[in-house]
Structures are given as structure tokens and as C-alpha cells.
Amino acid sequence: MFDQNSKYLIKCKNKGRTITEKTRKMKVYNLNKFLDKFGDMAVDTVEPSDIDNWLLEFDRSNSWRNSFLEMANEVYKELYAYHLINRLPIFEHFKVKTQSTKGILYPNEISELFPTDTKKLMDIWNRNNRDPEYYNFMFATLFFVILTTGMRSGEAQALKEEQFLAPDTIILNAMISDGERVDHLKKGNEENKKWRVVILPDKAVAMLNYLKTIQVKTTDYVFEYHGKPVSGNYMNKRFKYCLDMQGIDTEKRDISLHSLRFTNDTMCMRKISTDDLKLMLGHTQTRMSEYYDRSKALDHLPELMENKGTINKLWN
């Protein structure tokens, strides 16, 4: 069902539902594991409670369990559509932490993590003493850019010099997905790429300018690490390690790299209009359907630039 070029995947594509290769492989894995457990049973005798009890045997997160339930729901819907079962079971997802429960950084912590003193800043974001010292500053800049713009990690990974419309203005028109750079953003596709524009505070601009003077690169990626875009997994590990070293308990407070985006949303929501904030963060809404090419993304630049003073006050 989830094999490449299967009828089901072709149907999903024609209905506008994008399934990445990484997601497809995960569904194949989940289905095979599911069949190992329940493959000898008649499909209409497997109850949702049987699946729940089986998933609870694993010491894994509820998000992991829900990925199996989502796969099972797709399978059962197809079976029902082809009249292979007489009733459609109802799967109840396990409770997961939402944005409102995820940890964010406090203003005093942001000040401590991103001091104006360059040496102190580089010491805070140092994890690997074998690396050239400029990498410490690069990661500090990377995390500060994500924090102050609300970029997703894949968007920051994919960032190239050509995306700068001005020193303080970036068009986000690409992301790293499954290790490849693609020309659309999250939940985007060839018809609706979901491009958007973000505004940098002056402090981030200064950090990026200084980074250019000390960085040694072989590609045009802004945040190049050992000759290629920095990996999302390493970004998250380094971020959490450095926070833990500063006495911020990332495990207890449920803080990860994505917390920078949540922090941006939280700090900006009372200072910037809801519509403008959604445009900058790329939250799905009616207006975002316009973002299918560069010109449409730039249409909103003048109104977003009106927030530059507020953005500077928040982050400088």
C-alpha cells in the first residue's frame, strides 16, 4: 500500500496530499511491524483496543504510538472503501504535548544565551573543541536567527546568500527535507510553495555580517558545517547540550530546537498583529494560499517592514 508508485500513493498525490519519502518509509516500517503482530488474524477481528494495548507494551512516546494509529487508520479506510470490511473502526490518539505545553525560553535566559560580548557568546555555544572556533559563532548566529525570525530548522539549514533581498530581509523559498534541498516550505508543493518573507533585527544582521568575515566555506549555504548544510539532528543536539551546560534543564522543561520558534511566537504575539505574525511564521491560513511564487511572497513585504522597529525592540 505504501510502496513507491502504489495506487494509493498515486491517489494521494492526485488529491494534493504530499507524502515525503521519509514519511513513506516510516509507514512501510509501521505496517510491517503491525503485520508481524496481527498478520495472522482476520483484519475485521483486530479491535482498536488490541492495537492500543500492543502499543503500550513499548517504552516509546505517544507521538510514536500515534504514528502507528495514523497508519492503521489509512489502511482501514482503504479496506472499507473497497468493501473488504463492514465497519470502520475509530482510533483514539494518545495524548501528546502541544505547543502550549512545550517549553520556551524566558527573556532573561535569552539575554544570557546571546550576550553582546563575542568571546562570551562563543564560549556559551561551544560544544566541540576540535572544531575551528568560528563554528561556535556560527551556531550562536544560527540559533539567534531562528529565534528572532521563527524560521523552521529545515528553512535555516537550506538558507543561501541568494535569499537575502536586503541585509535584514530574507525570502524563505526552500527547506531541507529528507536530506535534500527542495523549493517549497512545509506543507507546500509545486502548486503552492508556501514561500514567505522574514525580517531580521539589527543584532542578527550584525552577527551575520561578522560571521562572513571569519567563516571558511566551500558552499553558498549560510550555515555550512564541514562542507555541507548543518544537519537538523546535530543542530538540536548542540542546542540542548549548550543550554544544559548553562543550567537550563531542557529535559525537565521540554525544550528543544523548535522551542526557539515557540518562543518567537510567544514574545511577538502581543507586539505584532496576528495577521503579520502568521505571515512571518508561515502559519496556515487563507492568506498563505497566495504564497506560490516570489512575487506573491514579496507583496506583503511593505506591511511586514512596518514591524521593523518592534522587532528591533524585542531582540536587540
Side-chain angles (χ1 to χ4, degrees):
M1 177 173 168
F2 300 111
D3 290 339
Q4 286 182 325
N5 300 318
S6 67
K7 289 183 178 180
Y8 177 71
L9 293 186
I10 292 172
K11 180 173 70 174
C12 289
K13 183 178 180 179
N14 287 329
K15 289 188 174 184
R17 181 184 169 201
T18 303
I19 298 178
T20 66
E21 179 62 11
K22 181 179 180 180
T23 300
R24 186 194 70 81
K25 289 180 178 178
M26 181 190 71
K27 290 181 183 293
V28 170
Y29 170 83
N30 288 353
L31 180 57
N32 288 335
K33 199 169 184 69
F34 179 86
L35 292 175
D36 287 342
K37 175 65 177 180
F38 299 107
D40 293 334
M41 298 174 61
V43 66
D44 56 355
T45 66
V46 181
E47 297 292 337
S49 58
D50 297 325
I51 300 174
D52 286 349
N53 291 334
W54 170 62
L55 292 173
L56 287 170
E57 293 176 6
F58 297 93
D59 184 21
R60 301 295 296 271
S61 69
N62 282 346
S63 295
W64 181 86
R65 296 184 180 107
N66 285 340
S67 69
F68 277 89
L69 296 182
E70 289 162 8
M71 175 277 302
N73 190 47
E74 288 182 81
V75 170
Y76 276 91
K77 279 185 176 180
E78 282 296 284
L79 293 172
Y80 185 75
Y82 286 99
H83 308 291
L84 298 174
I85 55 176
N86 296 321
R87 62 185 177 87
L88 192 60
I90 298 174
F91 297 96
E92 183 178 353
H93 279 48
F94 292 92
K95 183 179 179 180
V96 296
K97 293 180 179 179
T98 61
Q99 175 172 342
S100 61
T101 61
K102 284 185 178 292
I104 63 171
L105 296 175
Y106 302 124
N108 64 304
E109 293 172 333
I110 294 171
S111 298
E112 293 170 1
L113 290 169
F114 300 100
T116 55
D117 182 272
T118 301
K119 186 179 185 308
K120 186 176 181 181
L121 179 73
M122 293 169 72
D123 287 342
I124 289 172
W125 295 104
N126 179 20
R127 186 191 182 199
N128 187 350
N129 289 323
R130 293 171 295 178
D131 275 344
E133 197 173 41
Y134 69 81
Y135 277 132
N136 301 335
F137 190 84
M138 186 199 76
F139 279 103
T141 306
L142 166 61
F143 297 140
F144 191 69
V145 167
I146 293 176
L147 170 67
T148 56
T149 63
M151 278 189 203
R152 296 182 176 94
S153 59
E155 296 164 353
Q157 287 175 267
L159 188 62
K160 291 187 174 184
E161 298 291 345
E162 65 193 31
Q163 293 174 245
F164 284 78
L165 306 175
D168 64 351
T169 312
I170 299 171
I171 183 167
L172 296 178
N173 56 10
M175 67 175 183
I176 299 294
S177 177
D178 298 334
E180 299 293 330
R181 192 176 192 267
V182 296
D183 68 345
H184 62 77
L185 304 186
K186 186 177 180 181
K187 297 184 180 178
N189 51 48
E190 286 304 312
E191 290 73 34
N192 186 358
K193 296 179 184 292
K194 299 287 188 181
W195 292 0
R196 69 184 192 278
V197 174
V198 293
I199 311 300
L200 291 164
D202 291 344
K203 180 176 178 178
V205 174
M207 292 173 73
L208 284 163
N209 286 338
Y210 180 66
L211 178 62
K212 291 178 184 178
T213 68
I214 62 173
Q215 201 173 20
V216 179
K217 297 198 302 177
T218 59
T219 73
D220 56 350
Y221 286 101
V222 174
F223 301 113
E224 175 192 298
Y225 188 57
H226 294 299
K228 56 187 178 180
V230 59
S231 77
N233 184 49
Y234 182 73
M235 285 165 63
N236 191 49
K237 285 183 177 179
R238 186 163 185 143
F239 177 73
K240 294 179 72 172
Y241 170 85
C242 292
L243 261 63
D244 286 332
M245 293 299 291
Q246 295 303 310
I248 299 174
D249 193 331
T250 58
E251 193 68 30
K252 185 177 181 180
R253 288 173 52 185
D254 193 27
I255 290 177
S256 67
L257 182 63
H258 207 54
S259 297
L260 293 175
R261 183 170 158 85
F262 295 144
T263 302
N264 177 283
D265 196 2
T266 301
M267 292 188 66
C268 290
M269 64 172 50
R270 294 181 181 177
K271 303 291 185 181
I272 297 175
S273 73
T274 301
D275 281 349
D276 286 356
L277 186 57
K278 285 181 177 179
L279 286 170
M280 288 188 282
L281 290 176
H283 288 164
T284 301
Q285 57 159 332
T286 303
R287 293 175 73 188
M288 285 305 295
S289 64
E290 301 175 1
Y291 277 45
Y292 57 85
D293 62 18
R294 181 186 179 93
S295 64
K296 288 294 183 182
L298 295 181
D299 280 349
H300 299 288
L301 180 56
E303 62 188 278
L304 295 182
M305 283 302 294
E306 293 177 5
N307 296 290
K308 181 61 187 283
T310 301
I311 290 170
N312 274 335
K313 287 180 181 179
L314 276 171
W315 305 114
N316 287 348

